[in-house]
Amino acid sequence: MSRISRFGVAAAVGLLGLATACAPGSNTSAPPSQANPSSVQTDPAKMGDVTLLVWDQEVRGGQDAQMKELNAAFQAKYPNIKLKRVSRSFDDLKTTLRLALSGNEPPDVVQANNGRSDMGEFVKANQLVPLDPYLKAYGWDKRYPQSVRQYSQYTPDGKTFGQGNLYGMPQVGEVVGIFYSKKKLAAAGLQPPATWDEFQSSLATLKSKGDAPLVLGNLEKWPAIHVFGTVQGRTAAPDTIKQLGFGRKGASWKTEENLKAAQTLTDWVGKGYFNDGFNGQDYDPAWQSFAKGKGTYLIAGTWLQADLGKAMGDDVGFMLPPGTSADAKPVATGGTGLPFAITAKSKHPEAAAAYLNFITSADAMGTLSKTGNLPVADTSKQEVSGGLQKDVFTAFGKVVESDGLLPYLDYATPTMPDTIGAALQDLLAGKAKPEQFADRLEKDYGAFAEANG
Amino acid sequence: MYAAFLLYPLLRSVQLSFYDWDGLTLGTWVGVANYQEIVSDVGLRSAFGHALVLMLFFAVIPVCVGLVLASVLNRAKVRGLAFFRTVVFLPQVVAMVVVAVAWRRMYAPDGTINDLLRAIGLGSLARGWLGDYALALPAVGFIGTWFETGLVTVLLLAGMSRISGSLYEAARLDGAGPVQEFFAVTLPSVRGEIAVALTLTVIAALRTFDLVYVTTSGGPGNSTSVPSYEVYHRAFELGRVGSAAAVGVTLTVLILLISLVINRIADREAAR
């Protein structure tokens, strides 16, 4: 047989294979059946011998410590339920979870990122169990305020984020605020600002003393989202930002308020408030250089608390972004750590729910704060040691209490992390005007919100 | 075995590229729409453009530099040639991810390169190299140059060492200087090696993923995004598996075509 015809046969066989192969994803499961709240078994001791496979991403120091401690306590209390823990980094978990969930033997409990690109897609594909029956049986609604629960809520079709069924239970809270160096503020004769105007004028003062006051490392594209979100929280109404963040219909990026936020950032860059070359600077070295005394302010999330506290001691403080007036209602970007969810193919959803209940109980929250994490519930009741930890716990408690948590803007659509990251790099580098920036985001958000209905 | 591990995934990718699939729910047949997008989408088109720029840095420059280096090393019969050969070849031994992490640190605003520039009084040139719109792509490409030059040099050196000394003697008798010698004798003799070097480095340029992923994630903006990064980005970050498969298939075809062309040219010239 000549080379050509052999290739021809192979191609023909291949095409035949293509024609007969079924469409990708055709073995998708039916919607999971809901458990009946009145018949939910809440005593793990009566659930028989069960093994739970748990995938989490709690790999860093304090996170890993709390997980180990809680798992050990759970095993000691309920020896009939065996835990098998698989722990991977956030990025590894994110890339493997999709495949794992569509396989035949997925884990029972997984930590799934809240946003549309992960949890939303899983809900749409019927791969997670709605937790509402357990919520009623265990009283989780009293454990978490609505402003926290909204981050794990989707309607069953996965279309509306922030409303509908509960699909996950978070352990830790997050809020983006302003870390500052007390020494450097004092050296410039300044107080920690109480209003947004004071904050901006302190930037000018610090700059005039020869310091680039704001530290930013934006090589990874996402760090600027937190800076923009913080500024936007001062210019736009919280409800509009929520709509934009959750990707709901009815809001627009092309408004006066959003343009003003983008313009503010452009102005800050123009006035030299940021360190040079921030778009080429890594995130981690950036906050490390802040810890070593570069700059005065760092707009970042509470996940840096343990590291910054260790490196800077009493010098570092944390505050929520100040409002237009000193007594304004606190508003800040934030949310929860990755929630734990139960997979639809799990054979032991009740045992899994009992596990979720255990690792988010009031006792567990105590363990979390002891190991240097920010517990999502009962935050103000925790005993804290250092000044920074106290700042962080108070700030989170305040913002949750006033229902002022705003979603991360990249949650909005499956493609938004990419769109807003690139758009912000362009804006900060002066490659895009605020109008172009808003147009680009509106295109992504608008098309999605329209199609999503 | 071959069919199971290579052919099946390949055909499956081709199949996927005709679907709009998010990796989870049922995919829908969209025909060639994913391929049309490659032509119409500005971002994707520019990704292929960036790959061309990288080819310059990964293939063309290393071959030129490698030719000069190899002929100098070959002529000079330097002592410790083996040592030099090892040094220039060293980058090849290190995993690309490690190389990328190291260079990312060197390119940082407070990194080695800027420190050096400041030390020699060129502080005004210091910048965050990977965050600079005009320079990020060349900066990434330069890592490729550094990485591939050693491989090319060692390849060419091997080729040159088998050129018979009598050829050089004849050239010298005709009154040729070192430069003429290079063009008359050395260059034609290593044509085969150049073709091999070009094939290897061009493929390396086109399939560059780890380097871009670690250094810039395609940024700033989208100025360093390349097709193989888009494959990952689309499949795992955007959940557009069909579109990712289409980019992957296009890239595979492109690599196949380019290596065919290079070998065709080298064969024809060798046959002359």
Side-chain angles (χ1 to χ4, degrees):
Chain A
M1 201 189 281
S2 77
R3 230 162 145 200
I4 298 290
S5 68
R6 200 180 293 168
F7 177 74
V9 170
V13 170
L15 282 177
L16 204 71
L18 284 187
T20 52
C22 47
S26 52
N27 57 351
T28 309
S29 55
S33 54
Q34 287 237 19
N36 185 354
S38 58
S39 65
V40 168
Q41 170 69 265
T42 54
D43 184 4
K46 292 189 188 136
M47 287 175 189
D49 286 334
V50 166
T51 303
L52 289 181
L53 181 58
V54 180
W55 277 23
D56 67 53
Q57 52 97 47
E58 308 290 321
V59 288
R60 290 197 205 109
Q63 301 175 331
D64 187 49
Q66 59 92 359
M67 212 66 228
K68 278 198 185 122
E69 203 167 307
L70 289 175
N71 282 353
F74 185 78
Q75 295 268 250
K77 199 165 173 193
Y78 308 111
N80 58 321
I81 302 180
K82 276 239 284 286
L83 295 174
K84 262 169 78 183
R85 181 182 176 212
V86 178
S87 185
R88 301 165 192 226
S89 77
F90 172 73
D91 286 326
D92 289 346
L93 186 80
K94 191 173 158 71
T95 41
T96 49
L97 201 51
R98 253 171 206 273
L99 283 173
L101 284 180
S102 48
N104 284 329
E105 301 217 340
D108 299 286
V109 175
V110 297
Q111 238 179 327
N113 200 9
N114 319 51
R116 281 185 190 276
S117 58
D118 297 274
M119 188 178 261
E121 300 274 288
F122 300 153
V123 169
K124 200 161 66 180
N126 294 320
Q127 284 170 338
L128 299 180
V129 175
L131 300 178
D132 297 70
Y134 307 109
L135 169 113
K136 288 184 197 103
Y138 286 105
W140 289 339
D141 46 348
K142 285 174 210 89
R143 188 173 291 174
Y144 297 139
Q146 176 57 26
S147 68
V148 167
R149 265 184 288 149
Q150 63 178 357
Y151 288 102
S152 308
Q153 284 186 318
Y154 281 94
T155 50
D157 54 7
K159 281 188 172 175
T160 312
F161 184 11
Q163 287 171 0
N165 292 334
L166 184 74
Y167 284 96
M169 293 282 283
Q171 277 188 303
V172 296
E174 292 174 357
V175 62
V176 174
I178 305 172
F179 289 96
Y180 57 94
S181 162
K182 292 176 188 164
K183 276 184 220 150
K184 295 198 102 180
L185 273 186
L190 293 166
Q191 293 285 321
T195 67
W196 188 243
D197 286 343
E198 270 181 52
F199 176 66
Q200 297 212 61
S201 72
S202 78
L203 290 175
T205 313
L206 288 161
K207 178 68 193 172
S208 70
K209 304 213 181 237
D211 188 16
L214 281 167
V215 178
L216 175 64
N218 196 36
L219 183 64
E220 289 90 343
K221 302 187 191 183
W222 55 261
I225 299 174
H226 302 156
V227 180
F228 181 80
T230 299
V231 177
Q232 190 193 28
R234 307 315 112 199
T235 62
D239 284 340
T240 334
I241 302 178
K242 264 186 204 171
Q243 275 183 319
L244 289 172
F246 284 130
R248 293 198 199 121
K249 227 167 149 176
S252 166
W253 273 97
K254 289 159 65 168
T255 62
E256 207 59 32
E257 292 82 11
N258 291 325
L259 287 175
K260 196 177 160 204
Q263 186 60 49
T264 306
L265 273 194
T266 311
D267 292 347
W268 283 4
V269 175
K271 288 176 183 159
Y273 289 170
F274 291 105
N275 46 305
D276 282 340
F278 52 81
N279 267 341
Q281 172 72 285
D282 284 330
Y283 183 70
D284 287 334
W287 64 254
Q288 282 155 4
S289 76
F290 169 73
K292 284 181 203 138
K294 196 177 169 187
T296 308
Y297 294 117
L298 174 73
I299 297 180
T302 44
W303 51 86
L304 292 180
Q305 172 217 320
D307 289 309
L308 285 177
K310 208 184 274 172
M312 300 174 73
D314 289 341
D315 183 23
V316 60
F318 179 84
M319 61 179 158
L320 291 170
T324 40
S325 64
D327 56 353
K329 196 181 118 175
V331 169
T333 305
T336 70
L338 267 60
F340 285 78
I342 304 176
T343 61
K345 285 182 191 156
S346 167
K347 293 188 183 72
H348 317 289
E350 293 203 334
Y355 175 70
L356 297 195
N357 183 55
F358 187 85
I359 60 171
T360 54
S361 64
D363 288 346
M365 293 300 152
T367 308
L368 281 164
S369 57
K370 213 174 65 209
T371 44
N373 300 283
L374 173 63
V376 71
D378 299 330
T379 319
S380 49
K381 289 188 201 143
Q382 306 300 326
E383 271 180 46
V384 293
S385 47
L388 180 64
Q389 198 183 21
K390 189 160 176 248
D391 284 359
V392 164
F393 279 47
T394 317
F396 187 73
K398 258 206 281 196
V399 75
V400 166
E401 195 184 320
S402 72
D403 205 8
L405 276 186
L406 300 179
Y408 295 100
L409 297 165
D410 51 334
Y411 278 170
T413 78
T415 48
M416 192 52 102
D418 183 53
T419 308
I420 191 170
L424 274 170
Q425 272 190 337
D426 286 349
L427 178 78
L428 288 169
K431 292 271 162 188
K433 299 242 172 315
E435 291 80 25
Q436 292 164 311
F437 168 78
D439 282 349
R440 194 159 160 194
L441 293 186
E442 179 68 15
K443 212 175 130 204
D444 189 323
Y445 162 82
F448 176 84
E450 201 58 43
N452 197 43
Chain B
M1 286 296 270
Y2 179 76
F5 286 104
L6 202 102
L7 229 48
Y8 176 70
L10 191 69
L11 288 174
R12 182 79 175 159
S13 316
V14 174
Q15 183 209 358
L16 284 180
S17 69
F18 294 111
Y19 281 88
D20 179 13
W21 187 39
D22 60 5
L24 287 170
T25 49
L26 196 64
T28 44
W29 174 268
V30 292
V32 293
N34 286 327
Y35 290 96
Q36 279 167 349
E37 194 193 350
I38 295 176
V39 185
S40 63
D41 187 295
V42 188
L44 273 178
R45 244 184 4 223
S46 63
F48 279 93
H50 299 153
L52 288 181
V53 177
L54 285 190
M55 273 167 61
L56 178 75
F57 281 97
F58 272 69
V60 180
I61 299 180
V63 167
C64 296
V65 176
L67 272 172
V68 175
L69 263 178
S71 55
V72 168
L73 284 174
N74 190 43
R75 276 181 66 89
K77 302 281 181 243
V78 270
R79 247 198 297 171
L81 180 65
F83 173 73
F84 281 113
R85 230 171 11 204
T86 316
V87 168
V88 285
F89 194 69
L90 210 58
Q92 288 289 326
V93 186
V94 186
M96 195 49 142
V97 176
V98 180
V99 169
V101 170
W103 276 89
R104 188 163 102 162
R105 283 296 161 93
M106 292 206 276
Y107 278 135
D110 48 1
T112 328
I113 291 179
N114 288 326
D115 286 347
L116 269 176
L117 283 174
R118 286 187 197 103
I120 57 172
L122 290 173
S124 57
L125 291 179
R127 65 194 70 221
W129 294 90
L130 296 173
D132 189 298
Y133 278 73
L135 293 171
L137 189 59
V140 170
F142 184 72
I143 306 177
T145 308
W146 176 82
F147 189 76
E148 299 294 352
T149 302
L151 172 77
V152 174
T153 310
V154 170
L155 258 175
L156 294 176
L157 208 53
M160 288 178 191
S161 66
R162 44 165 199 90
I163 303 173
S164 143
S166 59
L167 278 176
Y168 285 110
E169 239 166 72
R172 237 167 277 155
L173 282 178
D174 286 343
V179 176
Q180 281 160 313
E181 232 173 66
F182 173 77
F183 282 107
V185 181
T186 315
L187 196 57
S189 311
V190 293
R191 209 177 261 137
E193 280 78 8
I194 294 181
V196 172
L198 274 179
T199 315
L200 287 177
T201 50
V202 162
I203 292 176
L206 285 173
R207 59 147 210 238
T208 300
F209 163 73
D210 31 16
L211 188 59
V212 169
Y213 177 73
V214 174
T215 49
T216 61
S217 308
N222 291 319
S223 61
T224 58
S225 160
V226 290
S228 49
Y229 179 74
E230 284 293 330
V231 173
Y232 160 82
H233 178 56
R234 278 165 190 265
F236 294 107
E237 292 184 346
L238 301 186
R240 300 188 51 201
V241 182
S243 170
V247 176
V249 169
T250 312
L251 187 62
T252 311
V253 171
L254 209 65
I255 289 180
L256 211 66
L257 279 179
I258 291 182
S259 40
L260 270 180
V261 168
I262 293 175
N263 283 311
R264 223 4 109 65
I265 292 173
D267 279 354
R268 193 177 302 151
E269 302 228 324
R272 230 182 3 202

